[in-house]
Amino acid sequence: MRNITLTTIILISLTLFGCGTSTSDSAKDKSHNELIIESVNSEKISAKYLYDKIANKNKTILQDNEILIDDTSIKIKVTVDFDGKKEGKYIYSANFLTIYKTGHVNEINVGSIGIGTSKDEAVEVSIHEWFAVFGIPFTNMLRDTNSISLSNMKIFSGLMGIRGTLPENTWMDGSDEMNKKIISQIKNQINFSKATLIPIDIKLMVGPNGVTDGECRLGNEVSIELLDALKKIDWPKQSDSFMFKQFYLVKQDNKASH
């Protein structure tokens, strides 16, 4: 099973209950210039994270918040939603927009929340969590490694997140088989007519009778249809509820389609 950090668990909880979805009073209290500076710093650090994983020194160039690889451009834009203290902890909540240009332009939005004993730690945790959710599948996609093939698709998965106690000996183990089971259930929702790379962001509350609540995004947009399809999966059942979070990048497999 893949490792799940405490900060990932906190992130899932806060995201599901909306802590990072609107601009807070703390963010409003800061000057516009301060928020811009914080965003720019996060953009540069995030781009460096990606660069370090994919860099071929002869072909890959890092310029502030943008990575250039031949005719491909990857730019990170960060919007701060919350930056301040809450219940004695520093919280840094931001939306990370990745603009991936390679013939087509793909935009991928991922929210991330960092919690720490200092502001610097909260920012660092937020970027770490963003990379665990998005950076891992994105860099794997760029290197064409660690993918799952299904129908005419290549699927790249982020780290699985769980809050609560997961029943033992279930199919929910972060494995390729788990991811194939989930994608098989929702593959009819995936349409490549408008994009060559599709993000899927799944957040579910699972109770004794299956999925009770959640938010699912397909191509950056909330999808009730995606949530309804996922409800039909035989999720592990127990008396206590748990939260499940999983992110995928899905790319059309041209070799499989020929």
Side-chain angles (χ1 to χ4, degrees), residues 164-192:
T165 302
L166 185 67
E168 295 182 359
N169 301 319
T170 75
W171 58 269
M172 292 183 65
D173 56 2
S175 66
D176 287 354
E177 290 305 312
M178 180 197 83
N179 292 320
K180 283 183 179 180
K181 182 181 181 77
I182 293 171
I183 296 295
S184 294
Q185 182 66 28
I186 61 176
K187 65 182 181 180
N188 291 336
Q189 311 281 339
I190 302 170
N191 188 335
F192 291 102

Side-chain angles (χ1 to χ4, degrees), residues 85-115:
K85 276 189 173 184
K86 188 172 183 179
E87 298 180 356
K89 294 287 187 180
Y90 284 86
I91 298 177
Y92 181 84
S93 171
N95 180 73
F96 293 73
L97 168 64
T98 302
I99 304 169
Y100 174 52
K101 297 180 181 179
T102 176
H104 297 274
V105 178
N106 294 277
E107 296 189 353
I108 304 160
N109 281 301
V110 175
S112 184
I113 300 172
I115 299 176

Side-chain angles (χ1 to χ4, degrees), residues 5 7-8 11 112-113 125-134:
T5 66
T7 48
T8 301
L11 170 61
S112 184
I113 300 172
V125 168
S126 176
I127 295 172
H128 273 248
E129 297 301 331
W130 164 79
F131 190 84
V133 170
F134 167 78

Side-chain angles (χ1 to χ4, degrees), residues 104-163:
H104 297 274
V105 178
N106 294 277
E107 296 189 353
I108 304 160
N109 281 301
V110 175
S112 184
I113 300 172
I115 299 176
T117 57
S118 67
K119 176 180 173 177
D120 288 346
E121 182 182 3
V123 172
E124 183 179 0
V125 168
S126 176
I127 295 172
H128 273 248
E129 297 301 331
W130 164 79
F131 190 84
V133 170
F134 167 78
I136 290 174
F138 184 68
T139 54
N140 283 338
M141 183 275 301
L142 292 174
R143 295 179 299 177
D144 194 22
T145 186
N146 296 323
S147 65
I148 304 165
S149 295
L150 184 68
S151 300
N152 66 328
M153 300 177 293
K154 280 189 174 182
I155 301 110
F156 302 87
S157 62
L159 297 186
M160 181 182 77
I162 296 290
R163 180 181 184 272

Side-chain angles (χ1 to χ4, degrees), residues 215-229:
E215 180 183 275
C216 298
R217 291 179 178 267
L218 179 65
N220 300 318
E221 300 293 333
V222 173
S223 173
I224 300 300
E225 293 78 14
L226 195 64
L227 177 60
D228 289 342

